[in-house]
Amino acid sequence: MITKIFQNSEEELEEAVAWIKNGELIAFPTETVYGLGASIFSEKAIQKIFQVKNRPQDNPLIAHLSDINQVEQIATHIPCEFYKWSELFFPGPLTLVLQKHPRVPSIVSAGQESIALRMPQHILASQFIKKVGVPLVAPSANISGRPSSTEVGHVLEDFNGKIAGVIEGGRCLIGIESTVISLLNPQKPLLLRPGKLSAEEIEDKVGVKISISTNEGAPLSPGMKYRHYAPSAKLLLFETQEEIDLYLQKAPPLKRRVFTPTCNNLYATFRQADRQGCAEIVVLLPPASEAGLLNRLKKALGCSLDISAF
Ligand code: TXA
Ligand code: MG
């Protein structure tokens, strides 16, 4: 299959929409990372998502909306708290988990009774979803376990020849995935995945304490139990620049990349280091306030997740 790069024009967007309506996959830009999109009602297309990503079957997908009215098509028993939260944070890098409407195929939520949803802020994502006319499910557009894609070149690295196309939207503004919060118990919102939008910022605006998932027992957000976002090169994290300097003085003469990670450069630098055949990537641990970035680094290291630790 030839993977087409669609440019930002009315005609090209229409062509991408036609592929989606035909049950094919189209990657599209969002403000966080590129997503690999399929219609939420096309089970066959969703099966293809799991197949091309090599995604574990128990890892549910996020539904992407262009209009708040679409929530009622895919969720049920929607608490009034949801509308308060969505007014404050939609469109934007926040995903909320609600009760799934029975009409949504269970493959979307990997058999769970819940549905994660968000409304991306990226104008192309929004226009694309609107033109399709139904919500799009879209995991991050990367082979499972690899760093997410923050530009079209990354999407092609993983999926060239395997998907119908990708919409060119330049570099993603934020660079790491959305913050995921469960509102299944609206009195006790639960942070399932930290992101650029911090729990503190949300608490300040909403005026409600957010609990942090300890991931004990059954995984609430199944994606969090897998190693993720990982480069092939060995990743070494150091707490201070002095420690990095000391390490480098004695380190073996390997091809290595040393950088200070930010949300914006993390995945692109991982991918670049791999392309250049680096054996090691050396990074300075970001401050505790950068919970989303810290989480991605720890996951890339393969640490068991303990988001309550930061
Ligand atoms: O920023 C983002 O969220 C990007 C862009 C493309 O929107 N998407 C993304 O999707 O990161 P994905 O599939 O790579 O990660 C979705 C995360 C996984 O950890 C998954 O387990 C969790 O959301 N999730 C999805 N549905 C869920 C549900 N019903 N309950 C709990 N967690 C859920
Ligand atoms: Mg992902």
Side-chain angles (χ1 to χ4, degrees), residues 33 53 55 59 139-142 145-146 148 177 193 228-229:
V33 298
K53 270 185 68 88
R55 183 179 178 95
N59 196 2
S140 53
N142 55 279
R146 298 252 299 141
S148 301
E177 303 77 359
R193 178 176 73 180
H228 266 327
Y229 323 115

Side-chain angles (χ1 to χ4, degrees), residues 176 191 194-195 198 200 287-296 307 310:
I176 64 167
L191 178 69
S198 71
E200 292 74 23
S289 55
E290 296 255 21
L293 185 57
L294 263 171
N295 168 268
R296 303 309 185 269
I307 51 179
F310 37 87

Side-chain angles (χ1 to χ4, degrees), residues 50-298:
F50 281 91
Q51 195 189 337
V52 297
K53 270 185 68 88
N54 194 21
R55 183 179 178 95
Q57 292 290 335
D58 66 350
N59 196 2
L61 303 171
I62 297 174
H64 292 66
L65 320 173
S66 57
D67 189 306
I68 196 71
N69 295 323
Q70 289 171 322
V71 174
E72 281 149 35
Q73 290 174 25
I74 60 170
T76 175
H77 298 91
I78 305 163
C80 55
E81 286 82 356
F82 167 81
Y83 291 100
K84 181 174 177 188
W85 287 56
S86 60
E87 211 160 282
L88 288 166
F89 299 106
F90 282 9
L94 176 66
T95 295
L96 295 172
V97 176
L98 299 175
Q99 271 189 56
K100 185 177 85 66
H101 197 290
R103 75 160 68 91
V104 174
S106 68
I107 187 173
V108 169
S109 56
Q112 300 207 39
E113 300 288 305
S114 56
I115 178 88
L117 54 92
R118 85 177 193 94
M119 191 190 287
Q121 191 160 34
H122 198 296
I123 184 73
L124 277 175
S126 178
Q127 283 175 357
F128 185 48
I129 301 163
K130 195 169 179 186
K131 280 182 189 294
V132 173
V134 296
L136 293 180
V137 288
S140 53
N142 55 279
I143 307 262
S144 281
R146 298 252 299 141
S148 301
S149 293
T150 54
E151 47 190 272
V152 162
H154 301 162
V155 178
L156 294 176
E157 242 169 44
D158 286 9
F159 299 119
N160 198 10
K162 295 184 185 152
I163 61 173
V166 49
I167 299 172
E168 172 63 83
R171 286 212 181 124
C172 301
L173 213 63
I174 293 178
I176 64 167
E177 303 77 359
S178 60
T179 306
V180 181
I181 294 186
S182 170
L183 287 182
L184 286 176
N185 177 352
Q187 269 77 56
K188 196 177 177 233
L190 199 58
L191 178 69
L192 301 178
R193 178 176 73 180
K196 179 85 177 160
L197 182 62
S198 71
E200 292 74 23
E201 195 177 328
I202 301 172
E203 283 173 346
D204 281 354
K205 290 212 174 116
V206 185
V208 176
K209 185 91 189 118
I210 296 171
S211 310
I212 294 182
S213 163
T214 56
N215 248 28
E216 278 164 12
L220 290 161
S221 194
M224 301 310 278
K225 70 179 185 230
Y226 299 105
R227 186 167 185 230
H228 266 327
Y229 323 115
S232 303
K234 187 172 178 199
L235 184 61
L236 300 171
L237 304 190
F238 290 91
E239 280 181 30
T240 64
Q241 186 59 45
E242 291 69 39
E243 281 175 284
I244 292 185
D245 295 342
L246 262 174
Y247 173 73
L248 292 177
Q249 278 166 25
K250 296 185 202 151
L254 297 172
K255 188 157 188 181
R256 75 167 55 77
R257 183 70 184 255
V258 184
F259 81 108
T260 302
T262 64
C263 294
N264 280 124
N265 70 13
L266 184 74
Y267 296 138
T269 313
F270 279 0
R271 282 181 177 267
Q272 194 185 47
D274 279 347
R275 278 197 306 276
Q276 293 167 345
C278 290
E280 276 183 8
I281 302 176
V282 173
V283 302
L284 183 63
L285 210 61
S289 55
E290 296 255 21
L293 185 57
L294 263 171
N295 168 268
R296 303 309 185 269
L297 282 164
K298 287 204 161 191

